[in-house]
Amino acid sequence: MIGTPRTHKAFLAMLLAVTALTSRALAQSEDAVKAAFLYNFAKFVEWPATAFPDGNAPIIVAFIGGGSLADTFEQNVKGKNANGREFSIKKLSAAGGESGAQILVIADGSQAAAAISATKGKPVLTVADADGVEGAIHFVKDGPKMGFDLDLDAAKASALKVDPKLQKVAKSVKGA
């Protein structure tokens, strides 16, 4: 056995630190990919005119849970727009504050039923970022790759039109 117990402890501490940093970097990377998807969802989904108070209103993206994703998305869309509309971000601790949002990201599964119920029949793109949550879009992880499933019936029930380009990059598409 090479080294002393002291060098073994130092090596173990270094290994744990590297593992923690790697895990943090992977989580940040995953949030960056999800944020990019969210930005593109806004570009490739069409809302009815009634979804906005006026022609200059921003796209409101509300997040229930998912604080780091909300922060990453906010940083990534600063100064950008989708189809001429700026972004406004709302970070919610619970369902109920999503009124007026065009995109609702549900990262807290315990709030999913209330959030889905509150948006039913409204022009809101629901994006599920938690297991067991049903939305028009659901983030899925396939090994190291991040993707999404698309439920066209849920989008249609919310009076949303999904561009065929978005359908082509979805991992799976439900409905027609």
Side-chain angles (χ1 to χ4, degrees):
M1 186 183 248
I2 299 174
T4 65
R6 189 176 197 180
T7 57
H8 290 290
K9 284 182 182 178
F11 176 75
L12 182 59
M14 182 183 74
L15 183 62
L16 290 173
V18 167
T19 302
L21 287 172
T22 303
S23 296
R24 208 171 305 129
L26 288 174
Q28 289 172 345
S29 173
E30 187 174 302
D31 282 347
V33 171
K34 289 177 182 178
F37 274 132
L38 287 170
Y39 173 68
N40 283 298
F41 297 158
K43 288 173 51 177
F44 292 100
V45 170
E46 183 181 327
W47 284 265
T50 58
F52 299 94
D54 61 56
N56 296 322
I59 296 172
I60 299 172
V61 184
F63 292 83
I64 298 175
S68 65
L69 174 57
D71 292 340
T72 301
F73 180 74
E74 188 169 28
Q75 291 168 353
N76 288 353
V77 299
K78 208 171 271 182
K80 294 182 182 177
N81 70 69
N83 304 320
R85 293 187 185 272
E86 305 271 327
F87 289 93
S88 177
I89 289 47
K90 289 173 87 173
K91 298 173 189 173
L92 309 172
S93 58
E98 63 279 327
S99 179
Q102 285 74 40
I103 300 176
L104 176 62
V105 181
I106 307 166
D108 180 351
S110 69
Q111 299 291 319
I116 296 294
S117 177
T119 59
K120 194 169 188 89
K122 295 179 181 170
V124 178
L125 178 66
T126 52
V127 180
D129 189 24
D131 291 336
V133 178
E134 295 296 321
I137 295 177
H138 187 262
F139 285 125
V140 292
K141 192 167 181 181
D142 184 14
K145 292 185 177 183
M146 180 58 59
F148 64 93
D149 293 333
L150 180 59
D151 184 340
L152 292 176
D153 292 334
K156 190 180 232 180
S158 296
L160 305 174
K161 293 180 185 172
V162 178
D163 189 299
K165 292 175 188 168
L166 192 60
Q167 296 174 42
K168 287 180 183 176
V169 295
K171 289 199 174 285
S172 72
V173 178
K174 177 180 163 187

mmCIF file of all heavy atoms in Angstrom, residues 36 84 167:
data_model
loop_
_atom_site.group_PDB
_atom_site.id
_atom_site.type_symbol
_atom_site.label_atom_id
_atom_site.label_comp_id
_atom_site.label_asym_id
_atom_site.label_seq_id
_atom_site.Cartn_x
_atom_site.Cartn_y
_atom_site.Cartn_z
ATOM 1 N N ALA A 36 -32.609 26.462 -22.908
ATOM 2 C CA ALA A 36 -32.587 26.626 -24.366
ATOM 3 C C ALA A 36 -33.859 26.044 -24.982
ATOM 4 O O ALA A 36 -34.444 26.637 -25.895
ATOM 5 C CB ALA A 36 -31.348 25.962 -24.953
ATOM 6 N N GLY A 84 -40.872 38.631 -31.392
ATOM 7 C CA GLY A 84 -41.073 40.038 -31.078
ATOM 8 C C GLY A 84 -41.507 40.336 -29.657
ATOM 9 O O GLY A 84 -41.702 41.489 -29.298
ATOM 10 N N GLN A 167 -42.276 19.552 -33.406
ATOM 11 C CA GLN A 167 -42.715 18.156 -33.356
ATOM 12 C C GLN A 167 -41.619 17.213 -33.839
ATOM 13 O O GLN A 167 -41.457 16.116 -33.314
ATOM 14 C CB GLN A 167 -43.969 17.979 -34.212
ATOM 15 C CG GLN A 167 -45.164 18.758 -33.702
ATOM 16 C CD GLN A 167 -46.352 18.678 -34.631
ATOM 17 O OE1 GLN A 167 -46.657 17.610 -35.150
ATOM 18 N NE2 GLN A 167 -47.029 19.800 -34.842
#
